[in-house]
C-alpha cells in the first residue's frame, strides 16, 4: 500500500526493498517488539510466528502483501525515471556505490568526502545509538509497549534459516507468479 499518485511527475522516489525472507523476519521483530500490528484490526500474536507468516503472505499486515508492493514499485522503476529502486543488500555490500547512485539520482554532489560522511552517519552503530537515545522509544520501553530494540542487528541473510520448507515453497511460488514475469532476479527476493 502506498499513497503516491502514479501521475506525480515532479517528485523523485527512492524505493528501498529487502529480500522477502529477511523483510518478513524484520517485520515480525518490529511488530512483535511493539506488541501489536499498527494499522490493522483484530490481529494478535496468539498464533506466534507461523500465524504471522501466514498473515504476511496473505497481506494481512499494515503494508499489505509484500509481493504486490514490490512488484508495483519494481515495474514503476523500470518505466519512470523519477523512481530509483535500491536494494538493502546493495546498501550493505556496496554502501559507497549505492550512496553515489542515490546522490546522482537526486542531483546532489557525490564526491568521496560526502559519501564517506553519509556512510559514517548511517552506520548501523549510529542508528542503534540514535535508537537508544530516542526519548519516545525510551518512553515506550518504560511503558512496556516496546519489548525489543527497534534497530536489532542490521544484517542480511538469516531469513531462510527460520522458515519452514512449506513457507519457503509459498515464497518461491509467489516469486514465480508476481516478480519473475517482471524480470526481477530471483536472488533479489529469495536467499539460498
Amino acid at each position: 500500500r502506498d499513497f503516491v499518485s502514479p501521475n506525480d511527475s515532479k517528485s523523485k522516489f527512492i524505493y528501498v526493498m529487502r529480500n522477502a525472507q529477511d523483510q518478513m523476519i524484520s517485520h515480525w521483530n518490529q511488530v512483535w517488539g511493539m506488541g501489536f500490528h499498527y494499522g490493522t484490526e483484530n490481529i494478535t500474536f496468539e498464533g506466534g510466528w507461523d500465524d504471522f507468516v501466514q498473515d504476511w503472505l496473505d497481506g494481512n499486515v499494515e503494508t499489505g502483501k509484500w509481493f504486490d508492493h514490490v512488484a508495483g514499485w519494481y515495474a514503476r522503476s523500470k518505466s519512470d525515471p523519477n523512481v530509483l529502486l535500491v536494494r538493502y543488500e546493495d546498501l550493505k555490500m556496496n554502501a559507497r556505490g549505492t550512496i553515489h547512485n542515490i546522490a546522482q539520482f537526486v542531483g546532489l554532489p557525490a564526491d568521496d568526502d560526502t559519501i564517506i560522511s553519509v556512510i559514517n552517519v548511517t552506520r548501523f552503530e549510529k542508528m542503534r545509538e540514535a535508537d537508544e537515545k530516542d526519548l519516545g522509544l525510551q518512553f515506550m520501553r518504560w511503558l512496556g509497549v516496546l519489548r525489543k530494540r527497534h534497530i536489532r542487528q542490521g544484517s542480511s541473510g538469516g531469513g531462510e534459516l527460520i522458515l519452514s520448507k512449506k513457507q519457503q515453497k509459498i515464497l518461491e511460488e509467489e516469486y514465480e507468479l508476481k516478480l519473475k514475469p517482471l524480470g526481477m532476479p530471483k536472488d533479489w527476493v529469495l536467499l539460498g
Side-chain angles (χ1 to χ4, degrees), residues 21-34:
Q21 293 119 313
D22 286 346
Q23 194 284 331
M24 184 189 301
I25 289 168
S26 181
H27 195 157
W28 161 257
N29 279 289
Q30 180 181 356
V31 296
W32 184 87
M34 295 191 79

Side-chain angles (χ1 to χ4, degrees), residues 39-131:
T40 57
E41 297 178 12
N42 303 323
I43 297 178
T44 68
F45 292 94
E46 292 172 11
W49 167 250
D50 287 333
D51 279 4
F52 174 80
V53 170
Q54 194 59 55
D55 286 341
W56 189 92
L57 290 167
D58 293 341
N60 293 329
V61 293
E62 62 275 12
T63 53
K65 198 167 189 173
W66 183 90
F67 284 92
D68 293 341
H69 199 271
V70 170
W73 279 99
Y74 183 73
R76 186 169 174 182
S77 76
K78 294 296 183 189
S79 61
D80 185 342
N82 290 323
V83 176
L84 176 67
L85 186 131
V86 173
R87 293 177 54 236
Y88 177 82
E89 293 79 10
D90 290 339
L91 280 166
K92 296 295 293 177
M93 290 185 297
N94 182 12
R96 182 182 297 265
T98 305
I99 291 167
H100 181 268
N101 291 344
I102 292 169
Q104 284 188 317
F105 176 71
V106 296
L108 293 174
D111 59 86
D112 281 343
D113 289 342
T114 302
I115 291 173
I116 289 168
S117 175
V118 170
I119 289 170
N120 286 334
V121 299
T122 58
R123 286 187 351 257
F124 175 75
E125 296 78 20
K126 286 282 192 187
M127 292 175 61
R128 171 146 305 156
E129 185 180 305
D131 177 74

